[in-house]
């Protein structure tokens, strides 16, 4: 468990154009219907889960953590990698418990999508209901996370603010939980 906000901040030491290994970058050559050819960078990565976690009294569970893309600490949905032979629901329950110390009464996959049009990385939005704190967080050694529980209205407002990296996963979870109604 980290202590204090400074413990979550990372210090940038350098930058290089090559990938570090979490996402593999490949290059595909395609022939268009008009006969021209072009090359496309493709991101290859593991399946992941992002969890909209609601406590039995309706609060929302997030984790504060540094995100290297934006370069700052964000309040994020708990989540992580689905192991190759692991069930998505099991991975979601495991990640929630590891990162927050919360156990879900139920988990349900509510959406699946690709990271982007140039990626093979599949992400899963999971709704976890009736979550309750049962342990201290046990994050992986490379994770520095701080659980954060917000009242439902603040939780929904945070996800709608877009100040997290899995806003689309959050929206899917909120709709599945009945906390957002489609307007169309």
């Amino acid at each position: 468990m980290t202590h204090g906000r400074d413990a979550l901040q990372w210090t940038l030491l350098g930058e290089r154009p090559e990938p570090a290994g979490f996402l593999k970058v490949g290059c595909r050559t395609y022939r268009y219907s008009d006969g021209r050819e072009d090359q496309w960078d493709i991101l290859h990565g593991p399946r992941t889960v992002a969890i909209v976690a609601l406590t039995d009294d309706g609060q929302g569970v997030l984790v504060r953590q540094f995100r290297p893309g934006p370069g700052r600490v964000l309040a994020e949905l708990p989540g992580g990698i689905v192991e190759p032979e692991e069930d998505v629901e099991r991975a979601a329950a495991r990640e929630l418990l590891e990162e927050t110390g919360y156990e879900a009464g139920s988990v349900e996959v509510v959406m699946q999508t690709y990271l982007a049009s140039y990626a093979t990385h599949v992400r899963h939005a999971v709704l976890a209901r009736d979550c309750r704190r049962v342990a201290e967080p046990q994050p992986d050694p490379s994770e520095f996370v701080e659980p954060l529980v917000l009242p439902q209205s603040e939780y929904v407002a945070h996800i709608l603010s877009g100040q997290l990296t899995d806003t689309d996963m959050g929206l899917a979870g909120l709709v599945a939980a009945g906390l957002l109604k489609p307007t169309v």
Side-chain angles (χ1 to χ4, degrees):
M1 180 75 180
T2 60
H3 301 284
R5 295 185 185 277
D6 292 339
L8 298 178
Q9 188 64 42
W10 296 5
T11 301
L12 179 63
L13 300 178
E15 196 166 332
R16 66 174 202 241
E18 305 88 37
F22 173 69
L23 293 173
K24 308 283 188 230
V25 180
C27 181
R28 292 181 180 171
T29 303
Y30 285 96
R31 178 176 294 117
Y32 300 141
S33 57
D34 66 3
R36 291 180 298 133
E37 293 181 3
D38 208 347
Q39 295 182 340
W40 290 88
D41 291 336
I42 305 295
L43 293 176
H44 301 280
R47 296 177 301 154
T48 60
V49 292
I51 305 140
V52 168
L54 303 173
T55 64
D56 53 6
D57 62 354
Q59 297 182 85
V61 182
L62 298 168
V63 288
R64 293 186 71 255
Q65 59 188 316
F66 184 83
R67 290 305 203 190
R72 61 191 185 106
V73 175
L74 298 174
E76 294 275 57
L77 298 177
I81 293 173
V82 178
E83 297 300 328
E85 300 301 321
E86 191 175 25
D87 177 74
V88 173
E89 291 89 349
R90 182 171 288 128
R94 175 184 51 75
E95 287 288 345
L96 179 65
L97 183 61
E98 287 174 2
E99 292 186 359
T100 68
Y102 279 78
E103 184 175 76
S106 67
V107 292
E108 172 189 3
V109 177
V110 297
M111 187 177 84
Q112 167 184 311
T113 187
Y114 289 100
L115 174 65
S117 62
Y118 51 85
T120 63
H121 175 172
V122 176
R123 303 166 359 173
H124 302 271
V126 175
L127 174 59
R129 296 179 192 263
D130 299 322
C131 298
R132 64 191 194 307
R133 181 84 182 260
V134 296
E136 285 298 314
Q138 300 284 324
D140 291 335
S142 62
E143 292 180 310
F144 301 89
V145 297
E146 185 176 89
L148 172 67
V149 178
L150 295 176
Q152 189 176 91
S153 61
E154 290 179 37
Y155 181 77
V156 170
H158 177 71
I159 291 173
L160 293 177
S161 77
Q163 295 301 304
L164 64 160
T165 60
D166 287 322
T167 300
D168 54 343
M169 303 284 101
L171 292 173
L174 292 178
V175 169
L179 300 176
L180 278 186
K181 304 289 188 218
T183 59
V184 189

